[in-house]
Amino acid sequence: MRNDTGKLDQLTSLRFFAAMMIVFHHATNSFGIRPIGVNLGQGVSFFFVLSGFILYYVYPKLATWPNIRQFWRARIARLWPAYAVSLAIGFFLVPYTWQTGTAVATLLMVQAWIPQSIYYFSYNAAAWSISTEIFFYLAFPALLYNWKTNWWIKLLLSLSVLILLMKLSSHFSLPDYGNPAVGGGGRSSPSMDCST
């Protein structure tokens, strides 16, 4: 059920500062901008936390399947059209190489769920954040369900999943941050191949 008590205008300025962090993060070592010793890329994490807060404010309860489906439809309708158009434009502007598996994962917005840079940095590399956002949207109703009585169970479960993923990443020697041009096993990313 949607809460229409009004917008949180006070948070708009925080979104601006987070966006500027990301701009300066990507512009470091260009235009005379030098590193300042702070990871400005954390502006993305701040956006995710802020989005979660706003989602909980706007949707304090999603008690029925129709409410959940309406929530998911609204989230996907807000993201996917512009996302698909930017991907299509990218194929005209950048010499992307078509790879069916990568393209399907990208079109379904699940590329960031696959721990190889040939997927999560494929085509429009910055879209990994949209893929991550979609995961949060899908998980939100389950996390919200009965929150006041079982929040501690969900917190422990989330922590356990995080530890498990860290262990698996270590066991399989997954890189902490992938190179967009190199995928798993050192393979060149077919989607980022600019050779003629």
Side-chain angles (χ1 to χ4, degrees), residues 17-29 33-47:
F17 288 114
M20 291 310 296
M21 286 174 65
I22 296 164
V23 168
F24 279 99
H25 169 71
H26 286 291
T28 299
N29 297 322
I33 298 172
R34 295 199 171 97
I36 61 171
V38 175
N39 184 356
L40 297 174
Q42 290 302 319
V44 176
S45 300
F46 179 79
F47 266 119

Short mmCIF file of all heavy atoms in Angstrom, two decimals, residues 17-29 33-47:
data_model
loop_
_atom_site.label_atom_id
_atom_site.label_comp_id
_atom_site.label_asym_id
_atom_site.label_seq_id
_atom_site.Cartn_x
_atom_site.Cartn_y
_atom_site.Cartn_z
N PHE A 17 24.42 15.90 -3.90
CA PHE A 17 25.79 15.67 -3.43
C PHE A 17 26.27 14.27 -3.78
O PHE A 17 27.44 14.08 -4.14
CB PHE A 17 25.90 15.94 -1.93
CG PHE A 17 25.81 17.39 -1.58
CD1 PHE A 17 24.74 17.88 -0.86
CD2 PHE A 17 26.79 18.29 -2.01
CE1 PHE A 17 24.65 19.23 -0.55
CE2 PHE A 17 26.71 19.64 -1.71
CZ PHE A 17 25.63 20.11 -0.96
N ALA A 18 25.38 13.28 -3.69
CA ALA A 18 25.76 11.91 -4.07
C ALA A 18 26.09 11.85 -5.56
O ALA A 18 27.06 11.21 -5.97
CB ALA A 18 24.64 10.93 -3.72
N ALA A 19 25.28 12.54 -6.38
CA ALA A 19 25.53 12.56 -7.83
C ALA A 19 26.87 13.23 -8.12
O ALA A 19 27.63 12.77 -8.98
CB ALA A 19 24.39 13.29 -8.55
N MET A 20 27.17 14.31 -7.41
CA MET A 20 28.45 14.99 -7.63
C MET A 20 29.62 14.11 -7.21
O MET A 20 30.69 14.14 -7.84
CB MET A 20 28.49 16.32 -6.87
CG MET A 20 27.54 17.37 -7.43
SD MET A 20 27.68 17.61 -9.22
CE MET A 20 29.34 18.23 -9.37
N MET A 21 29.45 13.31 -6.16
CA MET A 21 30.50 12.36 -5.77
C MET A 21 30.82 11.42 -6.92
O MET A 21 31.98 11.16 -7.23
CB MET A 21 30.06 11.55 -4.54
CG MET A 21 30.09 12.30 -3.23
SD MET A 21 29.38 11.32 -1.88
CE MET A 21 30.56 9.95 -1.78
N ILE A 22 29.77 10.92 -7.57
CA ILE A 22 29.95 9.96 -8.67
C ILE A 22 30.60 10.65 -9.87
O ILE A 22 31.51 10.09 -10.51
CB ILE A 22 28.60 9.32 -9.04
CG1 ILE A 22 28.08 8.51 -7.86
CG2 ILE A 22 28.74 8.45 -10.28
CD1 ILE A 22 26.62 8.14 -7.95
N VAL A 23 30.17 11.86 -10.17
CA VAL A 23 30.77 12.61 -11.29
C VAL A 23 32.27 12.80 -11.06
O VAL A 23 33.10 12.53 -11.93
CB VAL A 23 30.06 13.98 -11.47
CG1 VAL A 23 30.86 14.87 -12.41
CG2 VAL A 23 28.65 13.78 -12.01
N PHE A 24 32.64 13.26 -9.85
CA PHE A 24 34.05 13.48 -9.56
C PHE A 24 34.82 12.16 -9.48
O PHE A 24 36.00 12.12 -9.84
CB PHE A 24 34.22 14.29 -8.26
CG PHE A 24 34.02 15.76 -8.47
CD1 PHE A 24 32.81 16.37 -8.17
CD2 PHE A 24 35.04 16.54 -9.00
CE1 PHE A 24 32.62 17.72 -8.39
CE2 PHE A 24 34.87 17.90 -9.22
CZ PHE A 24 33.65 18.49 -8.91
N HIS A 25 34.17 11.10 -9.05
CA HIS A 25 34.82 9.77 -9.03
C HIS A 25 35.25 9.38 -10.44
O HIS A 25 36.37 8.94 -10.67
CB HIS A 25 33.86 8.74 -8.44
CG HIS A 25 34.32 7.33 -8.62
ND1 HIS A 25 35.39 6.81 -7.92
CD2 HIS A 25 33.87 6.33 -9.42
CE1 HIS A 25 35.57 5.53 -8.28
NE2 HIS A 25 34.67 5.23 -9.18
N HIS A 26 34.34 9.56 -11.41
CA HIS A 26 34.64 9.17 -12.79
C HIS A 26 35.55 10.17 -13.49
O HIS A 26 36.21 9.81 -14.47
CB HIS A 26 33.35 8.97 -13.58
CG HIS A 26 32.63 7.71 -13.22
ND1 HIS A 26 33.10 6.46 -13.53
CD2 HIS A 26 31.46 7.50 -12.54
CE1 HIS A 26 32.28 5.54 -13.09
NE2 HIS A 26 31.27 6.14 -12.48
N ALA A 27 35.59 11.40 -12.99
CA ALA A 27 36.43 12.43 -13.63
C ALA A 27 37.83 12.52 -13.02
O ALA A 27 38.65 13.29 -13.50
CB ALA A 27 35.74 13.79 -13.52
N THR A 28 38.10 11.72 -11.97
CA THR A 28 39.42 11.76 -11.34
C THR A 28 40.49 11.42 -12.36
O THR A 28 40.34 10.51 -13.18
CB THR A 28 39.48 10.76 -10.16
OG1 THR A 28 38.50 11.14 -9.20
CG2 THR A 28 40.84 10.76 -9.50
N ASN A 29 41.58 12.18 -12.33
CA ASN A 29 42.71 12.08 -13.26
C ASN A 29 42.37 12.60 -14.65
O ASN A 29 43.12 12.39 -15.60
CB ASN A 29 43.26 10.64 -13.35
CG ASN A 29 43.83 10.18 -12.02
OD1 ASN A 29 44.45 10.95 -11.30
ND2 ASN A 29 43.59 8.92 -11.69
N ILE A 33 41.50 17.04 -12.33
CA ILE A 33 40.95 16.60 -11.04
C ILE A 33 41.84 15.50 -10.48
O ILE A 33 42.06 14.48 -11.14
CB ILE A 33 39.50 16.11 -11.20
CG1 ILE A 33 38.62 17.26 -11.70
CG2 ILE A 33 38.96 15.56 -9.88
CD1 ILE A 33 37.21 16.84 -12.07
N ARG A 34 42.33 15.70 -9.28
CA ARG A 34 43.24 14.73 -8.66
C ARG A 34 42.52 13.94 -7.59
O ARG A 34 41.54 14.42 -7.00
CB ARG A 34 44.42 15.48 -8.04
CG ARG A 34 45.28 16.17 -9.08
CD ARG A 34 46.65 16.50 -8.53
NE ARG A 34 47.51 16.95 -9.60
CZ ARG A 34 47.72 18.22 -9.87
NH1 ARG A 34 47.14 19.16 -9.16
NH2 ARG A 34 48.53 18.56 -10.86
N PRO A 35 43.00 12.72 -7.29
CA PRO A 35 42.40 11.93 -6.20
C PRO A 35 42.51 12.69 -4.88
O PRO A 35 43.51 13.36 -4.62
CB PRO A 35 43.25 10.66 -6.17
CG PRO A 35 43.93 10.59 -7.49
CD PRO A 35 44.10 12.01 -7.96
N ILE A 36 41.48 12.57 -4.05
CA ILE A 36 41.50 13.28 -2.77
C ILE A 36 41.61 12.33 -1.59
O ILE A 36 41.50 12.75 -0.44
CB ILE A 36 40.24 14.17 -2.61
CG1 ILE A 36 38.96 13.32 -2.65
CG2 ILE A 36 40.21 15.26 -3.67
CD1 ILE A 36 37.71 14.09 -2.30
N GLY A 37 41.81 11.04 -1.85
CA GLY A 37 41.97 10.09 -0.77
C GLY A 37 40.66 9.58 -0.19
O GLY A 37 40.65 8.91 0.85
N VAL A 38 39.55 9.89 -0.83
CA VAL A 38 38.23 9.43 -0.39
C VAL A 38 37.60 8.69 -1.56
O VAL A 38 37.68 9.15 -2.70
CB VAL A 38 37.33 10.62 0.03
CG1 VAL A 38 35.93 10.15 0.38
CG2 VAL A 38 37.95 11.37 1.20
N ASN A 39 36.99 7.55 -1.29
CA ASN A 39 36.34 6.79 -2.35
C ASN A 39 35.01 7.44 -2.71
O ASN A 39 33.97 7.14 -2.12
CB ASN A 39 36.13 5.34 -1.91
CG ASN A 39 35.56 4.49 -3.04
OD1 ASN A 39 35.25 4.98 -4.12
ND2 ASN A 39 35.41 3.21 -2.77
N LEU A 40 35.03 8.31 -3.69
CA LEU A 40 33.82 9.03 -4.10
C LEU A 40 32.81 8.12 -4.79
O LEU A 40 31.64 8.46 -4.90
CB LEU A 40 34.19 10.20 -5.01
CG LEU A 40 35.06 11.28 -4.36
CD1 LEU A 40 35.49 12.31 -5.40
CD2 LEU A 40 34.33 11.95 -3.22
N GLY A 41 33.27 6.94 -5.23
CA GLY A 41 32.36 5.97 -5.83
C GLY A 41 31.29 5.49 -4.86
O GLY A 41 30.29 4.90 -5.27
N GLN A 42 31.50 5.72 -3.56
CA GLN A 42 30.51 5.32 -2.57
C GLN A 42 29.23 6.14 -2.69
O GLN A 42 28.23 5.85 -2.02
CB GLN A 42 31.08 5.43 -1.15
CG GLN A 42 32.14 4.39 -0.84
CD GLN A 42 31.61 2.97 -1.01
OE1 GLN A 42 30.48 2.66 -0.65
NE2 GLN A 42 32.42 2.10 -1.59
N GLY A 43 29.24 7.16 -3.55
CA GLY A 43 28.00 7.88 -3.83
C GLY A 43 26.92 6.96 -4.35
O GLY A 43 25.73 7.16 -4.08
N VAL A 44 27.30 5.89 -5.08
CA VAL A 44 26.33 4.91 -5.57
C VAL A 44 25.70 4.17 -4.40
O VAL A 44 24.48 4.00 -4.34
CB VAL A 44 26.98 3.92 -6.56
CG1 VAL A 44 25.99 2.85 -6.99
CG2 VAL A 44 27.54 4.65 -7.76
N SER A 45 26.53 3.74 -3.45
CA SER A 45 26.00 3.06 -2.26
C SER A 45 25.05 3.97 -1.50
O SER A 45 24.01 3.53 -0.99
CB SER A 45 27.14 2.61 -1.34
OG SER A 45 28.00 1.72 -2.01
N PHE A 46 25.41 5.26 -1.43
CA PHE A 46 24.53 6.21 -0.75
C PHE A 46 23.18 6.29 -1.45
O PHE A 46 22.13 6.34 -0.80
CB PHE A 46 25.19 7.58 -0.67
CG PHE A 46 24.32 8.61 -0.01
CD1 PHE A 46 24.24 8.65 1.37
CD2 PHE A 46 23.58 9.50 -0.76
CE1 PHE A 46 23.42 9.59 2.00
CE2 PHE A 46 22.77 10.44 -0.14
CZ PHE A 46 22.69 10.48 1.24
N PHE A 47 23.21 6.31 -2.79
CA PHE A 47 21.95 6.32 -3.53
C PHE A 47 21.09 5.10 -3.20
O PHE A 47 19.87 5.21 -3.03
CB PHE A 47 22.22 6.34 -5.05
CG PHE A 47 22.23 7.71 -5.64
CD1 PHE A 47 23.37 8.20 -6.25
CD2 PHE A 47 21.11 8.51 -5.60
CE1 PHE A 47 23.39 9.46 -6.81
CE2 PHE A 47 21.12 9.79 -6.16
CZ PHE A 47 22.26 10.26 -6.78
#
